[in-house]
Amino acid sequence: MNRRQLLTALGISSLALSFKGRSYISNKPIKKPIVLSTWYNQSVTANSPAWKILYRNGTALDAVEAGVQVSENDLENCCVGLGGNPDRDGIVTLDACLMDHQFQIGSVAALEQIKNPIQIARLVMEKTPHVMLVGQGAQQFALQNGFKLEGLQLSDHAQKTYQEWLKKSEYHPIINIEKTHGPSAPLSPESNEYNHDTIGMIALDIHGNLSGACTTSGMGFKMRGRVGDSPIIGAGLYVDNEVGAATATGQGEEVIRICGSFLVVEFMRQGYSPEQACKKAVERIRNKTPRNTKDLQVGFIALNKKGEYGAYALHKNFDFGVTSGNGETLKVDSPFILTS
Ligand code: SD4
């Protein structure tokens, strides 16, 4: 048995070999399976089907795909699936992607009238030579694969919020950091509460493999054609099975600007803990963006090969849910760097 095989047998990952000496390296037993997702209010329900799959020795990919569909199917959810808030023209457009432990990726953006964009993203990954389909082409592909076209009607809450928004038709990507977020949070155009709650979910299965999924209706009242970070591999989601996985929520433009989730994974590769890695990515946004971060929220969650997890946000009030061990979903408040 060589040194690598010996360490692997002892449960010490190959990552530990490369970065021994850093705080990230520990000999603690690997915590698996485990699944976490952005915004605790939706994690509670979304992690549950994911956990059932993981608990029965299923794959992380199947788990995250099943998990995020809970939010996609929830018409009360302001920010995921067809119940989400529309763009300025009153049309709901959906973005989603997933990535597995073998660097397989699939993504759809600006998809309209299709209920589960994450399923289409998976089909893009498995059935096409491409990694991303957008707009009409994505819709056509969904229909060719047996999906049905849903109506254009907005959900009740989206209709109400849109009518309210139309009075001024102003778009400020401002996030009221004083209020509690989550699907059940009060929706008001003034507070821009409706701009949140993309679900990003990352998981480590019993086989030691990582996968992730991310799905959203994007920022409410965005310009027609605007695409955020959520369907962009490396921005809204990234997985490297040797290292870890990360996903993002919040102002997508800022996440894209720094290749956010990729950056978090790369920081973990350098030996940083998931929390430290998320913090460094958030600091990168604060230090580099030409915009004023006072009104911008971004949050990352990350998970490494050891089942260690963490998060960081620009502002307070970002939380997430973690399910492992006995299957209970733990609420975790993310640390943050800015207080005003
Ligand atoms: C976007 N990142 O479209 C998404 C929005 C979001 O919680 O995460 N909301 O920019």
Side-chain angles (χ1 to χ4, degrees):
M1 197 183 269
N2 65 25
R3 181 175 152 75
R4 181 177 293 267
Q5 285 165 334
L6 177 68
L7 289 172
T8 304
L10 289 172
I12 301 168
S13 70
S14 59
L15 192 65
L17 278 172
S18 321
F19 297 107
K20 58 183 184 289
R22 293 271 194 147
S23 62
Y24 165 65
I25 308 308
S26 74
N27 293 346
K28 277 190 278 177
I30 296 171
K31 192 199 256 182
K32 61 183 183 183
I34 179 169
V35 57
L36 48 152
S37 60
T38 54
W39 305 108
Y40 173 72
N41 279 357
Q42 61 185 345
S43 302
V44 175
T45 47
N47 286 9
S48 166
W51 176 253
K52 277 188 192 138
I53 290 172
L54 292 170
Y55 185 72
R56 294 183 188 130
N57 301 344
T59 67
L61 182 66
D62 286 342
V64 295
E65 187 196 6
V68 300
Q69 283 182 64
V70 171
S71 299
E72 288 182 345
N73 293 337
D74 177 7
L75 290 180
E76 294 299 310
N77 193 312
C78 66
C79 310
V80 183
L82 288 173
N85 289 310
D87 64 15
R88 291 177 188 186
D89 293 8
I91 298 166
V92 178
T93 67
L94 303 176
D95 300 336
C97 73
L98 41 69
M99 182 161 188
D100 77 0
H101 63 290
Q102 295 175 310
F103 273 78
Q104 298 198 93
I105 54 179
S107 163
V108 288
L111 177 63
E112 294 174 17
Q113 294 178 264
I114 298 293
K115 194 172 172 194
N116 292 114
I118 201 69
Q119 288 186 27
I120 315 303
R122 184 156 182 177
L123 286 171
V124 171
M125 176 173 111
E126 290 176 346
K127 286 194 164 185
T128 79
H130 308 302
V131 297
M132 187 172 199
L133 292 178
V134 305
Q136 279 194 340
Q139 189 189 70
Q140 190 181 323
F141 174 70
L143 297 178
Q144 282 163 354
N145 280 280
F147 287 78
K148 83 175 204 300
L149 211 54
E150 307 288 335
L152 272 169
Q153 204 182 342
L154 297 180
S155 63
D156 290 348
H157 76 82
Q159 181 65 37
K160 216 167 117 198
T161 325
Y162 183 52
Q163 290 308 324
E164 207 45 49
W165 178 81
L166 279 176
K167 288 181 188 162
K168 289 189 186 161
S169 297
E170 281 176 2
Y171 177 68
H172 302 295
I174 292 172
I175 280 141
N176 186 332
I177 55 173
E178 297 302 323
K179 295 202 174 172
T180 306
H181 299 284
S184 57
L187 304 175
S188 93
E190 285 72 35
S191 71
N192 270 281
E193 287 289 334
Y194 45 74
N195 272 340
H196 286 281
D197 302 338
T198 291
I199 186 158
M201 182 178 283
I202 46 184
L204 176 67
D205 64 30
I206 198 75
H207 318 288
N209 290 325
L210 291 155
S211 287
C214 186
T215 177
T216 188
S217 52
M219 303 303 277
F221 320 120
K222 58 194 174 188
M223 285 180 72
R224 184 130 182 86
R226 178 266 188 191
V227 173
D229 60 314
S230 305
I232 298 181
I233 296 295
L237 175 75
Y238 199 68
V239 178
D240 184 328
N241 205 44
E242 279 188 12
V243 179
T247 187
T249 181
Q251 189 69 40
E253 283 74 7
E254 302 311 315
V255 180
I256 293 172
R257 200 186 303 284
I258 63 151
C259 301
S261 294
F262 176 75
L263 189 61
V264 171
V265 171
E266 290 310 298
F267 281 135
M268 289 196 284
R269 192 192 305 281
Q270 289 171 24
Y272 291 99
S273 72
E275 182 179 308
Q276 289 167 335
C278 293
K279 183 178 185 194
K280 285 181 75 68
V282 171
E283 285 172 344
R284 179 74 60 92
I285 292 174
R286 185 195 57 188
N287 296 340
K288 300 282 185 190
T289 182
R291 296 190 183 165
N292 189 341
T293 47
K294 190 165 77 66
D295 297 322
L296 300 173
Q297 176 65 306
V298 171
F300 292 101
I301 60 172
L303 173 67
N304 69 17
K305 282 290 277 186
K306 307 281 297 178
E308 296 163 338
Y309 61 84
Y312 230 89
L314 256 176
H315 293 281
K316 63 183 170 182
N317 287 336
F318 171 47
D319 53 31
F320 62 103
V322 184
T323 312
S324 65
N326 62 4
E328 263 174 47
T329 299
L330 182 74
K331 177 176 187 285
V332 187
D333 289 315
S334 168
F336 52 92
I337 56 172
L338 294 175
T339 46
S340 62

